[in-house]
Amino acid sequence: MAPMRVVLASGSPSRLMLLRNAGVEPIVHPATVDEESILRELVSAPPRDRVAALARAKCGAVAPRYPEDITVGCDSMLFIQGRLTGKPHTIEEAIRRWTAQAGKVGTLLTAHCVAGPGGARYEEVSQTAVHFGTPTKRDIEAYAASGEPLPCAGAFTLEALGSWFIDRIEGDPSGVIGLSMSTLRKALYSMGIDASRLWNR
């Protein structure tokens, strides 16, 4: 049986890496959605609902073009100290966030919306507790200056330079990286699809 096509509605290198490492070579079709507008409309909603709305919008923007394939939309945000934070975008903001979150524990929320053939749909938000280390001021500045944390939810990565500064996590590692493979498996099973059908090798 030929592999099913997977469409990744994201330009995230980390999500692409996770799929490739799991034997999937997806079609990469980043969704274009107004994230700020969506979040503004849901400003009073629970954190999980706000992140889920972003993943739903991304999947919804791309899935209609691939009705017979599996479209995966995701979004991640960090809930820490009563605030939901996304990507820092600038070096200055990354430094500010790391100075504030060093030594604390946050919850990384990764929302998934998976669309399949025949209009099938599966949604789930994975959550993982992230215990941040206490890097020196110089290390925080060097990490921010590397550019790595700027496009990342919570201003950190688990799989690259950021691994130096994460003491431990409690939950799904792939969810922290950006796409929970166990959640994707559950989505496929809910549609009657074996995970191995996605493998290209």
Side-chain angles (χ1 to χ4, degrees):
M1 186 177 293
M4 294 192 72
R5 297 199 309 175
V6 176
V7 182
L8 179 61
S10 168
S12 164
S14 297
R15 293 185 181 116
L16 178 59
M17 175 200 73
L18 285 166
L19 287 172
R20 283 177 169 168
N21 287 350
V24 178
E25 186 59 47
I27 297 168
V28 178
H29 187 143
T32 301
V33 300
D34 187 346
E35 296 187 28
E36 294 302 321
S37 177
I38 293 169
L39 292 174
R40 278 196 301 271
E41 291 178 6
L42 296 172
V43 67
S44 300
R48 290 173 64 92
D49 292 351
R50 299 181 75 196
V51 183
L54 294 175
R56 190 178 305 122
K58 292 176 180 180
C59 184
V62 174
R65 301 190 185 192
Y66 304 92
E68 300 305 314
D69 301 310
I70 302 295
T71 299
V72 182
C74 297
D75 202 274
S76 299
M77 297 185 80
L78 179 70
F79 186 68
I80 188 166
Q81 296 181 290
R83 294 183 62 240
L84 193 61
T85 63
K87 304 166 185 175
H89 296 299
T90 68
I91 291 173
E92 294 74 20
E93 179 63 11
I95 291 172
R96 188 193 70 76
R97 291 203 194 166
W98 262 99
T99 301
Q101 68 197 28
K104 297 183 173 62
V105 181
T107 301
L108 200 287
L109 301 170
T110 297
H112 306 73
C113 182
V114 182
R121 184 70 62 97
Y122 183 93
E123 297 185 17
E124 184 176 324
V125 179
S126 70
Q127 64 179 56
T128 303
V130 180
H131 295 253
F132 292 98
T134 52
T136 63
K137 181 175 182 291
R138 182 172 294 179
D139 275 346
I140 289 174
E141 291 173 350
Y143 185 43
S146 76
E148 182 183 281
L150 306 191
C152 300
F156 77 97
T157 60
L158 187 64
E159 72 277 18
L161 290 176
S163 63
W164 285 92
F165 312 123
I166 305 301
D167 284 350
R168 70 181 191 276
I169 65 169
E170 298 168 34
D172 183 348
S174 62
V176 175
I177 295 171
L179 196 170
S180 166
M181 297 307 297
S182 63
T183 297
L184 180 55
R185 183 196 71 235
K186 287 187 283 184
L188 294 171
Y189 285 0
S190 76
M191 300 173 190
I193 300 169
D194 294 321
S196 55
R197 283 196 62 191
L198 275 59
W199 300 350
N200 294 113
R201 61 185 185 205

